Amino acid sequence: MVESSKVQKILYGGDYNPEQWPEDIWEEDMRLFKEAHIDIVTLNVFSWAQLQPSEDTYDFSKLDKIMELVQKNGLKVCMATSTAAHPAWMARKYPDILRTEKNGVKRKFGSRHNSCPNSPTYRKYASKLVEKLAERYKDYDNIVCWHISNEFGGECYCENCEKRFRSWVKDKYKTIEEVNRAWNMAFWGHTLYDFEDIVTPDLRSEEFEWDGIRTNFQGISLDYARFNSDSLLECFLLEKEILKKYTPDIPVTTNLMGMYKPLDYQKWAEYMDFVSWDNYPTYNAKPYEPALSHDLMRGCKNGKPFALMEQTPGVTNWHLYCSLKRPGVMRLYSYQAMAHGADTVMFFQMRRSIGACEKYHSAVIDHVGTSDTRVFREVSALGKELETIGSSILGARSKAEIAIVFDWDNWRAIDWSAGPSRLLNYCDQIKKYYYALWRNHYPVDIISVKDDLSKYKLVIAPMLYMCKKGYDQTIRSFVENGGTFVTTTFSGYVDDNDLVVTGGYPGKLKDILGIWVEELDALPPEEANSFIYKGTEYPAQVLCDVLHLRSANELAKYEKDFYAGAPVITVNAFGAGKAYYFATQSNDDFYKEFLSDICSECGVQPLLKCDEDLEVTERSNSNGDFLFVLNHSQEKKEFVLPYDACNLVTGTEYFKGKEIKISGKDAMILIKK
Amino acid sequence: MVESSKVQKILYGGDYNPEQWPEDIWEEDMRLFKEAHIDIVTLNVFSWAQLQPSEDTYDFSKLDKIMELVQKNGLKVCMATSTAAHPAWMARKYPDILRTEKNGVKRKFGSRHNSCPNSPTYRKYASKLVEKLAERYKDYDNIVCWHISNEFGGECYCENCEKRFRSWVKDKYKTIEEVNRAWNMAFWGHTLYDFEDIVTPDLRSEEFEWDGIRTNFQGISLDYARFNSDSLLECFLLEKEILKKYTPDIPVTTNLMGMYKPLDYQKWAEYMDFVSWDNYPTYNAKPYEPALSHDLMRGCKNGKPFALMEQTPGVTNWHLYCSLKRPGVMRLYSYQAMAHGADTVMFFQMRRSIGACEKYHSAVIDHVGTSDTRVFREVSALGKELETIGSSILGARSKAEIAIVFDWDNWRAIDWSAGPSRLLNYCDQIKKYYYALWRNHYPVDIISVKDDLSKYKLVIAPMLYMCKKGYDQTIRSFVENGGTFVTTTFSGYVDDNDLVVTGGYPGKLKDILGIWVEELDALPPEEANSFIYKGTEYPAQVLCDVLHLRSANELAKYEKDFYAGAPVITVNAFGAGKAYYFATQSNDDFYKEFLSDICSECGVQPLLKCDEDLEVTERSNSNGDFLFVLNHSQEKKEFVLPYDACNLVTGTEYFKGKEIKISGKDAMILIKK
Amino acid sequence: MVESSKVQKILYGGDYNPEQWPEDIWEEDMRLFKEAHIDIVTLNVFSWAQLQPSEDTYDFSKLDKIMELVQKNGLKVCMATSTAAHPAWMARKYPDILRTEKNGVKRKFGSRHNSCPNSPTYRKYASKLVEKLAERYKDYDNIVCWHISNEFGGECYCENCEKRFRSWVKDKYKTIEEVNRAWNMAFWGHTLYDFEDIVTPDLRSEEFEWDGIRTNFQGISLDYARFNSDSLLECFLLEKEILKKYTPDIPVTTNLMGMYKPLDYQKWAEYMDFVSWDNYPTYNAKPYEPALSHDLMRGCKNGKPFALMEQTPGVTNWHLYCSLKRPGVMRLYSYQAMAHGADTVMFFQMRRSIGACEKYHSAVIDHVGTSDTRVFREVSALGKELETIGSSILGARSKAEIAIVFDWDNWRAIDWSAGPSRLLNYCDQIKKYYYALWRNHYPVDIISVKDDLSKYKLVIAPMLYMCKKGYDQTIRSFVENGGTFVTTTFSGYVDDNDLVVTGGYPGKLKDILGIWVEELDALPPEEANSFIYKGTEYPAQVLCDVLHLRSANELAKYEKDFYAGAPVITVNAFGAGKAYYFATQSNDDFYKEFLSDICSECGVQPLLKCDEDLEVTERSNSNGDFLFVLNHSQEKKEFVLPYDACNLVTGTEYFKGKEIKISGKDAMILIKK
């Protein structure tokens, strides 16, 4: 990630907020960081109020002290810009800085991440602050990256945003006639005659009468989501430009949040020097879920290693039930991040706050204030391991032959769709397909619809409801050239504006798949159809297409209802490749079988053949090929090594065919000989 | 319904929105309509923005073209007035047209059915548009009816409505003292001294602190509901008057929605030339539910045949799970409408839209655009049948000896009541009693409290909580003259203003029923009492009256709790008739038994004795008596014909006593010989 | 409670609203009151609109009549001030009187208890009204107490409140730096530079993004709750001061509501002459729940007898399912109130209203209007019993050796905490410990953190999360001097501002308990750990501390998970006493065993050893010791008398050792010989 001569190892540290503490404990912090092998701190995340006590006053004295302190102690710095929470005086004096919520309620000062991205005040003073920061600290050679704002997010529906949305729409569509076409405004007589007629799509307008998820005009809501994401991205870019003026060589990032619907991270990542993100799996997350998020985040930047900017060393405070990370789990999750492409291991946070809403979120230094805690010991032990690992894996890349397509607009369009079923859940479908591959140890890339497919043997696009302009051709070429493509029910329906492609579903994918979907049946949760695949009966749930074969062949058919006998799995030979279609949704066992068969058929091999509780990935760079093996179970497991290798941390050497034992919750990196 | 020399058969067609499509497909639409035996289209439902592009401009050019097209193709027209969705420019320029929601939030442009009914702007421009439409199209002889606005509904709580509510209250009560009495304003010291003190009852005032259903002052909420219904009715009448000025002979309607609480359809129907309504049963509706809705809609206009204005040919998009209408079900539901009094079969919609919130609602012409779909084939086959049926059943009436009383104000008052139980559900109780009769093939009228009872042998008024002024006397006369009356727990409590009738429950019904209800026990859902009726034990749920016999006799008693032994079913001989009282709620089996016994006793016979999955109704006109038999199950069923008859569609003749087989989901009309 | 020469017996009566009725029934009311042995009525609760028909007019004519009527009929009066619902004209003319809700919505006229406590208009006119009332009625010698407003409650977030909150904060903290420290405003860069920067913590500010329960800055929310409680208390005191000016000898109260979070009743009670409260257990309340509420209310005023101001004679209308009080239960609950310190038995209400939201709440005189009802007969019979009891128990006190600590701020802080578990429920924990003692017949006081501990042998402070300034020292002294102290997981964490005490949990209680809690694990509802106590396995749920013994000993340990073997119950010998710690939550059986053992060990004896369904308390005064025995089951039970005694009502004498039978739902008072 942080490609810099300053960085020679996996950076290890996290958010540090000394300004929340009396200065007399700062030295103790330094001592404890050393004990924990910490080498980087993220500073200045929420200090705007301190740095700018009033409209005309700036005060960097405390930050100066902190910078001297951490430099003196040999710590690298991820330097935040403090623009994620505006000062109280600003909210009072310039209410335009406050957001208006989806229900029309104007916010007051409070909380965070609540500046209107289109507020002139916000942009003016954020720029001014960043300019001062960049100018003042540009020569500190321990600053390894800039961290703009924090967890950009949310939406605003204020009058400023409404005005700017009109401009955004005008820039995009040029004429009001084109807007009417794109949003299908003839429906319900919504035809516009002037850009001024456009209002924000919210609970006062097009999203009224629904359940807070769906909307009347998906086209407007989609464009507003794009506009909102772009507005926040503009704020990011405004700061980035200033930073680059002063420190062109220091990479710039902001911390992303995995599957976060409001921001199209695949677009954002284009503008970030490297991706960084915050990983907070819930208490009941399955191990493959953060794995998927890591792969998604890595995929946003074309596979480039990323930074794990935040994770909790022990407990996350905002979940419903804040269970402890069990012994070894913090290390296991840290290895999991590295296994999927992270080149840092960082925590939120270094010292646990004593007041406000994150005081029950754990930290490297707990409220007790000593190093005599389980969490500190685990942090320290991992720190030592990372020192041993050194620079070996830095920059190493994954090589996947399988890609799963993920698209933010598609996600939004499915969520906002008024029909066919409230059980539709795009991310869950992505998870189902991902999990089927993960548990069999196939490496996967999560890609966008802009990414090149030619390097993959197998491309899976679950519920590709929105097939964006040209993407059918991308898939067509891929399959024609020998690729294997898999898609599912509710694919190919609409264009970029959520307008249905007439002429029969799945729209422009019809020829590639060799089918025509005549009808789409939505089943309530208590009902299921079924089908038999390779002798086993599986459920057909949620959606069931009633389809007709054109050039495709049938691999399975429905067992029940009036469409009993109709095809439910099809395959179409197309050019040199094949296109599979799965006309419904099923259970995990099915996806596992189905994708294993397809992988075999297109010649994709798993990294290892071993227990499902073991997670296996591989990263490679000029130092070699690194095999990561993680045991997510509590029990000891074995696997057989496919080649000679050496444990990167312990130095133990193993020969091909060796049955290696790995303890419960343990993780290891093996370098191929 | 549409009593007109222009109409010689069951009209068959539906909503057609060519203005949402390029003109080059209009001719193809005409071809497909012909193929589907379509003979009517509803036009111009949502075209205001197109017809009036700005405050001073009207443009009828496209509608002119459409009218010429459909006339040329021999299609009749149900002509809508387009006032259900105001243009965007109007919302921008005249915000008074926008509603204020119950929570006080002012709406923006968006969605539909959101014009404030008391907006001067709305009324002015709606009138102006209708005048122009009537004037322009009055001479088209294929217009068979006017369709005002669309699915009138919702509420507004804006300042204009508040002002008009004050006038409405003043007109109704004359003095503020009378308002205080009617609303019991001495309670909680709410005494008003000026009409200006009146505010809308909403989440900012009397409905605060409750669950969004109940209210502090039921009297105010009831009057506001009446006012709101009246305000919308005024909008309807404003348009109707204009239309009648130009085309006095063309009947006028608007599409109702079955059990829709905000509008008192029994009052509305008085002002409509005929009733039309939109039938969208949910995916899990039982067959008797739409039957009840049809009977309710027919009853609003004293049994006059009605129009089925909308139904989906295949799938409804706004349900949680949009399951397909199975093969035959669209036809079955169409026959069900006719069986209960419909003289049209119409769809929403003719061609499926490609954008916005109804694109996953099915249509006669699907997104594929061809006639080669199951749905189209079923539509076309039914169209052909309807041609065969011709004019024979037009105008035919049902003859029921049983009536169930349904009252909108009673519904509202029960919903808003603060006590005795949140499990009270008026419509569910109506359904329970209706279902008991439906499954035994008794024809039923659903009547209002204004309707004459003398033509019935049995009148059932479940949970007649509000016994309006004079209605006790209506019932008293009915029973005295030999009628049989059935009512239940939570009846007779209050007057038209939801003020309790003192002197003991059930108020003015006490003498008729011969009982006094001392206490009313509400059971939580996990508890039940029980009673034995004719040797079988049934549950007593939700509410249990503790009552005393006066002149009545006991038919069953409670088995448990401190009121074990107290009467739970009573019957009172009163004049020449009888009055039954059921002091609790029970299960379907009980209602079936209980009502069968009562029917026998008062000499009411079912139309047929046959399987419960068969629905049976009869309609009669000068052409004869038509017996409708519908098989709602998947399996073939039999029934024995009680007289000689002939199948109206196939012409097959049957003799009395013949066991006729009817396939799963099939429907037939038999004309009595 | 009402210590006055005017009061010679348990006052018996309740809310009477003759102004809601025509005058011609008033005499009938008087007759029925006599029949029911009623001797007190609460008048004038909601009459502001009647007393002040306009800004400049007052009209006491009706109240004069009522006062004459009740005086003539020998009734005592609890005189309310009518300020709980402002008149409609006031809301219209002075909108500052209307509250602004937590979501920012400004209220309209409607409902009750909705005057902004900081409204200048409200305070001005409330004072003026009270002055007039006091002046006019001061010489009525049947007025036994003043009843200010009614059920004070709720919150306001308007601009007036915001301004006053700033002053309140300034008064409390003096400098903005101290505010920043107290609220930990350096977190998220919320540092304030001016008191004007302070805004109300609500859904527009710090409580945004949470679930309507939690908040971002607990310190602000805590202070706002204190401020709001204080603002309402100021309204109370404003009226009290005026009343005392005119009638210094008439005691003043207002009716409290048990566990009601917005108002800190322990603080309020200091300013009330006596405590009165309204007891409305829900349909499924367990018998110990109202017992606990009574003890809490009594404890607010250091054990002084209180008034049961309201209870329903039959049914409460605002519950979800309004089940009847079964025969005997009204009497049983009345005895329960007396058993816990009530010296009145009063009802809401005397005559059942016919309109608005409480018409289905029962009354002494029901809608039927006669005395011929079960409820009336029970009321009358109890009235007669109370006459027999006479003055004997007036002023009698309970003597408990066990105290449970209850603290309003602690409750709020736990509710608002962002972590560790949404399953945390302070009141439920209080109930668990109370129930364990109640079912074993130990008398308990519920005390505040200001109360003296020296009179107790055992003090239990479940989940004492907030250990206020000095309270650790209170506990320390108590234990050092031989007391036994019990506390639990999630105790000792924070100070009065919800700022964590650093140095290890449980903060300042560490030395007393002799432990250090390193980690706190929150379990989801579907998971549990376990431990063995005296041979029985019990579940460990919700929270599980991972703790280390310092000077304490372990009494039980976890059975599972990575902290298997770690202590879960500890005891620490400290000075002459002992301190127990329970590191998790368990089931009722455990608490019963655990507390029984501790009671034995510290020499606390139950009042009786008998069946768990019997409730037993004792009150003593100069007339003797009164043992209350209440049978909450339906079945007859027995108990053995520990001393000679006499039934206070029947006069029956019993000798020590006698096995006394008590019928289901019966209650008796035995006076010790």
Side-chain angles (χ1 to χ4, degrees), chain B residues 282-452:
Chain B
T282 57
Y283 74 93
N284 55 358
K286 300 280 180 286
Y288 73 86
E289 292 180 283
L292 167 57
S293 297
H294 287 305
D295 285 351
L296 173 65
M297 293 291 93
R298 184 186 73 240
C300 287
K301 196 75 187 169
N302 282 101
K304 185 177 172 185
F306 58 90
L308 175 65
M309 186 60 88
E310 296 184 15
Q311 67 171 343
T312 179
V315 74
T316 304
N317 79 292
W318 56 82
H319 295 157
L320 288 176
Y321 323 110
C322 307
S323 56
L324 298 172
K325 279 188 179 170
R326 267 52 195 158
V329 171
M330 182 277 293
R331 176 178 176 273
L332 184 65
Y333 273 166
S334 300
Y335 269 84
Q336 186 183 42
M338 294 187 280
H340 287 271
D343 273 359
T344 75
V345 173
M346 292 169 71
F347 300 106
F348 182 85
Q349 59 184 331
M350 302 315 293
R351 184 179 273 274
R352 195 161 178 170
S353 62
I354 62 162
C357 75
E358 289 178 352
K359 62 181 177 293
Y360 298 120
H361 190 90
S362 74
V364 171
I365 307 170
D366 206 337
H367 287 142
V368 69
T370 70
S371 59
D372 181 24
T373 65
R374 176 180 72 91
V375 165
F376 191 93
R377 282 187 297 271
E378 293 194 22
V379 167
S380 181
L382 176 60
K384 210 171 158 196
E385 276 187 50
L386 296 180
E387 281 176 0
T388 308
I389 292 171
S391 67
S392 54
I393 68 166
L394 292 185
R397 298 278 188 134
S398 316
K399 282 175 295 190
E401 295 174 310
I402 309 173
I404 291 177
V405 179
F406 187 92
D407 183 62
W408 254 262
D409 285 321
N410 187 40
W411 179 7
R412 294 161 177 163
I414 290 168
D415 271 9
W416 289 329
S417 181
S421 171
R422 283 323 290 156
L423 297 176
L424 294 187
N425 186 319
Y426 179 57
C427 295
D428 272 4
Q429 286 303 298
I430 295 291
K431 285 180 185 176
K432 293 269 179 211
Y433 284 83
Y434 182 85
Y435 176 49
L437 298 165
W438 180 91
R439 64 201 291 205
N440 274 338
H441 320 299
Y442 292 104
V444 178
D445 282 348
I446 310 293
I447 63 171
S448 86
V449 297
K450 290 190 181 160
D451 287 320
D452 177 29

Side-chain angles (χ1 to χ4, degrees), chain A residues 371-527:
Chain A
S371 59
D372 182 24
T373 65
R374 176 179 72 92
V375 165
F376 191 93
R377 283 187 295 272
E378 292 193 22
V379 167
S380 182
L382 176 60
K384 209 169 158 196
E385 276 189 47
L386 295 181
E387 281 176 1
T388 308
I389 292 170
S391 67
S392 53
I393 69 166
L394 291 185
R397 299 278 190 132
S398 316
K399 281 174 295 188
E401 294 174 312
I402 308 174
I404 291 177
V405 178
F406 187 92
D407 183 61
W408 255 262
D409 285 321
N410 188 39
W411 178 8
R412 294 161 175 164
I414 289 168
D415 271 9
W416 289 329
S417 180
S421 172
R422 281 326 289 158
L423 297 176
L424 294 187
N425 186 318
Y426 179 56
C427 293
D428 271 5
Q429 286 303 299
I430 295 291
K431 285 180 186 177
K432 293 267 181 213
Y433 284 83
Y434 182 83
Y435 176 49
L437 297 165
W438 180 92
R439 65 202 290 206
N440 274 338
H441 320 298
Y442 292 103
V444 177
D445 282 348
I446 310 293
I447 63 171
S448 85
V449 297
K450 291 189 178 161
D451 287 320
D452 178 28
L453 303 183
S454 65
K455 56 179 162 173
Y456 301 107
K457 287 184 176 164
L458 171 60
V459 170
I460 304 170
M463 217 152 60
L464 187 68
Y465 167 67
M466 178 181 287
C467 185
K468 286 178 171 171
K469 193 175 166 65
Y471 201 55
D472 62 302
Q473 190 49 43
T474 303
I475 297 165
R476 195 173 284 109
S477 305
F478 169 70
V479 182
E480 280 173 340
N481 290 320
T484 299
F485 177 66
V486 176
T487 191
T488 72
T489 177
F490 214 48
S491 291
Y493 274 64
V494 297
D495 69 11
D496 302 54
N497 287 306
D498 200 53
L499 297 178
V500 171
V501 177
T502 54
Y505 319 126
K508 295 184 175 173
L509 303 177
K510 275 204 308 291
D511 61 322
I512 305 170
L513 295 161
I515 56 169
W516 167 44
V517 176
E518 182 184 340
E519 293 187 274
L520 182 51
D521 195 23
L523 306 186
E526 64 275 16
E527 288 178 22

Side-chain angles (χ1 to χ4, degrees), chain B residues 249-262:
Chain B
D249 299 331
I250 299 182
V252 174
T253 193
T254 185
N255 45 345
L256 309 184
M257 294 179 285
M259 285 186 177
Y260 179 71
K261 198 166 74 167

Side-chain angles (χ1 to χ4, degrees), chain B residues 32-271:
Chain B
L32 289 166
F33 293 170
K34 195 156 289 172
E35 188 176 339
H37 307 271
I38 296 299
D39 51 34
I40 185 167
V41 287
T42 301
L43 295 177
N44 202 42
V45 177
F46 287 110
S47 308
W48 198 344
Q50 187 194 99
L51 300 178
Q52 189 180 7
S54 73
E55 189 162 10
D56 306 313
T57 330
Y58 287 83
D59 177 0
F60 293 91
S61 55
K62 189 167 270 187
L63 186 55
D64 288 349
K65 277 194 204 166
I66 295 166
M67 285 300 285
E68 281 165 46
L69 175 81
V70 301
Q71 192 180 40
K72 198 181 67 190
N73 283 276
L75 291 166
K76 295 193 171 28
V77 170
C78 167
M79 188 71 164
T81 60
S82 263
T83 54
H86 50 241
W89 61 260
M90 201 180 288
R92 178 153 63 101
K93 192 157 183 187
Y94 301 106
D96 71 274
I97 204 171
L98 295 165
R99 287 190 182 168
T100 295
E101 295 304 320
K102 200 171 199 169
N103 58 6
V105 171
K106 176 83 176 173
R107 293 277 292 276
K108 294 184 162 195
F109 178 70
S111 191
R112 56 173 185 164
H113 305 150
N114 54 0
S115 309
C116 168
N118 288 303
S119 154
T121 304
Y122 177 71
R123 293 195 174 191
K124 174 178 161 192
Y125 284 112
S127 302
K128 217 165 155 185
L129 179 67
V130 172
E131 183 114 31
K132 285 183 187 287
L133 280 169
E135 197 173 14
R136 189 171 197 99
Y137 300 106
K138 66 179 187 298
D139 298 325
Y140 274 83
D141 68 354
N142 59 339
I143 296 180
V144 293
C145 64
W146 289 102
H147 171 301
I148 291 180
S149 188
N150 183 61
E151 294 181 348
F152 274 105
E155 294 105 355
C156 179
Y157 298 87
C158 76
E159 290 187 15
N160 273 332
C161 285
E162 192 165 73
K163 275 182 210 146
R164 294 260 313 173
F165 180 50
R166 289 174 188 147
S167 308
W168 186 97
V169 170
K170 195 167 186 178
D171 286 352
K172 177 169 182 179
Y173 295 106
K174 313 304 178 203
T175 67
I176 199 72
E177 289 72 26
E178 183 56 16
V179 175
N180 283 324
R181 188 205 61 75
W183 294 349
N184 199 42
M185 297 298 262
F187 181 76
W188 284 357
H190 278 211
T191 307
L192 307 169
Y193 291 93
D194 194 313
F195 284 96
E196 293 300 304
D197 289 335
I198 295 171
V199 300
T200 56
D202 57 38
L203 297 174
R204 296 166 294 181
S205 54
E206 295 303 359
E207 300 186 14
F208 184 77
E209 286 186 311
W210 288 102
D211 43 19
I213 303 173
R214 292 181 278 185
T215 172
N216 285 316
F217 281 78
Q218 291 76 20
I220 310 178
S221 293
L222 270 168
D223 273 333
Y224 201 80
R226 289 164 177 145
F227 159 75
N228 181 69
S229 179
D230 284 359
S231 297
L232 287 157
L233 181 55
E234 279 178 17
C235 294
F236 172 83
L237 292 172
L238 201 66
E239 294 194 28
K240 185 186 169 195
E241 199 177 335
I242 297 164
L243 295 170
K244 286 294 177 190
K245 192 170 68 177
Y246 290 92
T247 59
D249 299 331
I250 299 182
V252 174
T253 193
T254 185
N255 45 345
L256 309 184
M257 294 179 285
M259 285 186 177
Y260 179 71
K261 198 166 74 167
L263 303 192
D264 183 346
Y265 287 153
Q266 290 167 337
K267 181 169 184 183
W268 276 62
E270 294 174 30
Y271 301 92

Side-chain angles (χ1 to χ4, degrees), chain C residues 532-585:
Chain C
I532 292 168
Y533 176 71
K534 296 202 160 178
T536 303
E537 184 175 278
Y538 296 100
Q541 300 164 148
V542 181
L543 290 183
C544 292
D545 289 344
V546 184
L547 68 80
H548 303 274
L549 299 175
R550 289 292 175 254
S551 53
N553 292 315
E554 168 191 301
L555 297 181
K557 51 196 175 194
Y558 291 107
E559 294 289 308
K560 297 186 213 161
D561 214 328
F562 78 91
Y563 41 91
V568 66
I569 312 177
T570 67
V571 60
N572 192 39
F574 189 80
K578 283 183 177 179
Y580 288 84
Y581 186 79
F582 183 50
T584 183
Q585 298 184 1

Side-chain angles (χ1 to χ4, degrees), chain A residues 19-21 46-54 85-89 92 101 105-112 283 315 317-327 348 352-360 366-370 372-375 377, chain C residues 103 162 184 186-194 196-197 199-200 202 204-206 208-210 214-218 417-423 465 490 493-494 498-500 502-505 516 518-526 546 561-563:
Chain A
E19 67 281 4
Q20 294 177 18
W21 296 89
F46 287 110
S47 309
W48 197 343
Q50 187 194 97
L51 300 178
Q52 190 182 4
S54 73
H86 50 241
W89 63 259
R92 177 154 63 99
E101 296 303 321
V105 171
K106 176 81 177 175
R107 291 279 292 277
K108 294 184 161 196
F109 177 69
S111 191
R112 56 174 183 163
Y283 74 93
V315 73
N317 79 292
W318 56 82
H319 296 156
L320 288 176
Y321 322 109
C322 307
S323 56
L324 298 171
K325 279 188 177 170
R326 267 53 196 157
F348 182 85
R352 197 161 176 172
S353 62
I354 62 162
C357 76
E358 289 178 351
K359 63 181 176 295
Y360 299 119
D366 206 336
H367 287 142
V368 69
T370 70
D372 182 24
T373 65
R374 176 179 72 92
V375 165
R377 283 187 295 272
Chain C
N103 57 6
E162 192 164 75
N184 200 40
F187 180 77
W188 282 359
H190 279 211
T191 306
L192 308 170
Y193 290 95
D194 193 312
E196 293 300 305
D197 290 335
V199 299
T200 56
D202 58 38
R204 296 166 294 181
S205 53
E206 295 304 358
F208 184 78
E209 285 187 312
W210 289 101
R214 292 182 277 184
T215 172
N216 286 316
F217 281 79
Q218 291 76 17
S417 180
S421 171
R422 281 325 289 157
L423 297 176
Y465 167 66
F490 214 48
Y493 275 64
V494 297
D498 201 53
L499 296 178
V500 171
T502 54
Y505 319 126
W516 166 45
E518 181 183 341
E519 294 188 270
L520 183 51
D521 194 23
L523 306 186
E526 65 276 17
V546 184
D561 214 328
F562 78 91
Y563 41 91

Side-chain angles (χ1 to χ4, degrees), chain C residues 1-4 7 9-11 40 78 144-146 251-253 273-276 301 303-309 341-346 393-397 619:
Chain C
M1 40 75 68
V2 189
E3 289 161 336
S4 158
V7 178
K9 67 175 279 288
I10 306 282
L11 290 172
I40 186 169
C78 167
V144 294
C145 65
W146 289 103
V252 175
T253 192
D273 289 330
F274 65 94
V275 162
S276 68
K301 197 73 187 171
K304 185 177 171 185
F306 58 89
L308 176 64
M309 186 62 87
D343 273 358
T344 74
V345 172
M346 292 168 72
I393 68 167
L394 292 185
R397 299 278 190 132
R619 293 176 64 185

